Amino acid sequence: MVLPQTWWMAETIKTKLAADQLPTSLKIYSSEPRFPFFLRTIGVPSEDSMHPVDQFGTLPSDSARLRDQLARDIRSTSLFADDVGAMIDVVVLGSCEVDLKSFGSDLLEAWNERPHDKKFILACGVPNDYNTDSFEYISEWSQRDSLRVIPMANHFVDYFHPTLDTRADAKGLLQSPSLDKHVDIETFSSVSEFIDFPPRPKTYLDHVPCSAVLQGNYHQGGKNFERIFRDLKRLLQEDSRGWGYKWSAQERKYVVDAASPHPPFVLHLIGGDVMNIPSELQDVFVRDAGLGRTPFYELFEPIDIVVPVAADGGYSTRQAASAVHTAIMTHVSLLTTRALLECCPYLNSESMIIRPPAISEMEAIGLLRGAKVTAQGAELSEEKSQPPVRFNDLSEAIDGPPELIEDVKRMVSQGWRRGDENLTALQREIRRQNENVVSRILQDC
């Protein structure tokens, strides 16, 4: 989440403030030794946006600084050689949860020490609302009208207002105006256009989906990962040839079927967590662990579908989905339900594969491949008593509720490929929204 924040801040400084010929500068504080290198490789900030560049050609030599220098620099009046007496106007922390706890008290002290005309704005990102420990630091900042909270998704903004009011009530601060009125909340979509991996025109192995990535935290969403594993095992038992495999009694696992009409389906698992993958499916899964940033995004270039996996209800209620951002940035089709559209307004149906909520992710992919599928997605549906629905290799329902049959027909007829033009247009809209958010924060200082 921090890299896109940094990228957008640099781009907005270049396009908005530098256009007014105002002295501008961006300094990036990190305890990660390789973070400055990452910034240089992605061109943050770009050459024409800041002061003269160093030997790397992209990053001013004093822009990437050690994390511990922030406490000193926030008090300095000699930090900017071209603007004598100027001080840092805005501090953007990547995470309220971590960074507000580390820097909050010291930054508050520095804010109090500054004269009235030298105050600064503090903004911090929020990827989810599972941890609200940082809220104990918010009340002091809110009374100074200097805090900007930046959730990484629209749909859990509503959690903040009642939570802030509850904390204010507990502290006796609910007199008018209420505490949360002093905290500006700006939604930021963590999608950028890093210049070292621009999406290449998509090429496909076949006219059916042959690869997918499961992206999510296995530690938090293990229950859903294991449901997907069970689903795929059951679906291969039903029609292994439709998935490009056959059962090997000798090896006790599914192996590639050279006689299958389509290439075998491969499912990539990202992350180093220990996962309970069924031994029968070891040739179907590919583990991708310990990937650096560039190899991570390169992995997605040949992928057909991204499947977000989260703790129950997480992506639709309480956290930002990194899988959504990755799919948009790499121009890969995202498979999800309409619920995600409702909680992420910047998305649209043209850029996603919308599956009916009564069928699972693997059932949907099987239908898009033309495999025989018995949909048992009742555990995903509120209709717990819903009987299985059988589909033949033409994705035609042999029986089942008419509404579900129509939804499946619509999904299959719309196909699974999403054109580059749809995702490029979506990126442009996200860029416009993010620029507005960053501009408002910068204009406040």
Side-chain angles (χ1 to χ4, degrees), residues 261-335:
H262 304 298
F265 174 76
V266 177
L267 190 58
H268 291 259
L269 303 174
I270 295 180
D273 295 319
V274 177
M275 301 185 187
N276 300 319
I277 301 172
S279 59
E280 304 97 312
L281 303 180
Q282 59 182 272
D283 285 6
V284 182
F285 288 93
V286 174
R287 293 295 305 278
D288 299 290
L291 296 176
R293 184 188 49 80
T294 298
F296 172 83
Y297 287 103
E298 288 176 342
L299 167 69
F300 283 82
E301 286 188 355
I303 296 296
D304 294 331
I305 291 174
V306 172
V307 180
V309 184
D312 292 343
Y315 286 158
S316 59
T317 54
R318 303 189 61 183
Q319 70 185 99
S322 59
V324 174
H325 307 144
T326 304
I328 295 170
M329 289 164 65
T330 56
H331 286 196
V332 181
S333 301
L334 182 73
L335 175 65

Side-chain angles (χ1 to χ4, degrees), residues 129 135 155-164 317-318:
D129 77 329
F135 278 35
H155 53 285
F156 59 84
V157 171
D158 291 343
Y159 275 80
F160 285 93
H161 294 290
T163 305
L164 287 170
T317 54
R318 303 189 61 183

Side-chain angles (χ1 to χ4, degrees), residues 128-141:
N128 62 64
D129 77 329
Y130 290 121
N131 188 323
T132 57
D133 290 349
S134 60
F135 278 35
E136 67 179 275
Y137 303 93
I138 286 179
S139 57
E140 291 285 349
W141 281 103

Side-chain angles (χ1 to χ4, degrees), residues 169-334:
D169 189 29
K171 292 176 177 290
L173 295 172
L174 259 188
Q175 294 84 10
S176 181
S178 64
L179 177 61
D180 73 328
K181 294 296 190 296
H182 293 272
V183 179
D184 284 355
I185 298 176
E186 296 272 10
T187 302
F188 175 92
S189 302
S190 188
V191 177
S192 67
E193 301 163 17
F194 295 136
I195 62 175
D196 69 330
F197 48 86
R200 300 172 185 170
K202 289 291 293 184
T203 56
Y204 300 98
L205 191 61
D206 200 71
H207 68 273
V208 302
C210 298
S211 58
V213 166
L214 287 187
Q215 188 179 352
N217 187 317
Y218 182 78
H219 177 69
Q220 291 182 351
K223 196 165 146 189
N224 283 323
F225 274 93
E226 291 178 11
R227 173 183 54 74
I228 289 172
F229 299 162
R230 290 195 306 271
D231 258 359
L232 192 52
K233 179 179 175 180
R234 171 179 59 80
L235 291 165
L236 262 71
Q237 288 172 346
E238 183 174 4
D239 183 13
S240 59
R241 193 165 185 265
W243 292 85
Y245 292 92
K246 63 182 178 181
W247 176 252
S248 170
Q250 181 179 359
E251 299 184 57
R252 304 298 301 168
K253 65 178 182 179
Y254 290 97
V255 298
V256 172
D257 183 359
S260 173
H262 304 298
F265 174 76
V266 177
L267 190 58
H268 291 259
L269 303 174
I270 295 180
D273 295 319
V274 177
M275 301 185 187
N276 300 319
I277 301 172
S279 59
E280 304 97 312
L281 303 180
Q282 59 182 272
D283 285 6
V284 182
F285 288 93
V286 174
R287 293 295 305 278
D288 299 290
L291 296 176
R293 184 188 49 80
T294 298
F296 172 83
Y297 287 103
E298 288 176 342
L299 167 69
F300 283 82
E301 286 188 355
I303 296 296
D304 294 331
I305 291 174
V306 172
V307 180
V309 184
D312 292 343
Y315 286 158
S316 59
T317 54
R318 303 189 61 183
Q319 70 185 99
S322 59
V324 174
H325 307 144
T326 304
I328 295 170
M329 289 164 65
T330 56
H331 286 196
V332 181
S333 301
L334 182 73

Side-chain angles (χ1 to χ4, degrees), residues 315-372:
Y315 286 158
S316 59
T317 54
R318 303 189 61 183
Q319 70 185 99
S322 59
V324 174
H325 307 144
T326 304
I328 295 170
M329 289 164 65
T330 56
H331 286 196
V332 181
S333 301
L334 182 73
L335 175 65
T336 187
T337 62
R338 193 164 292 279
L340 193 61
L341 281 179
E342 295 171 358
C343 60
C344 297
Y346 59 87
L347 296 176
N348 55 61
S349 57
E350 289 77 22
S351 59
M352 302 169 64
I353 307 167
I354 305 297
R355 65 176 174 85
I359 66 170
S360 70
E361 300 91 336
M362 293 301 107
E363 290 167 352
I365 292 175
L367 289 165
L368 292 166
R369 281 185 62 92
K372 297 173 185 175

Side-chain angles (χ1 to χ4, degrees), residues 23-43:
T24 60
S25 183
L26 177 71
K27 298 193 183 295
I28 300 149
Y29 298 82
S30 174
S31 59
E32 169 55 55
R34 291 184 59 80
F35 191 69
F37 171 76
F38 290 158
L39 296 173
R40 292 183 178 108
T41 61
I42 64 174

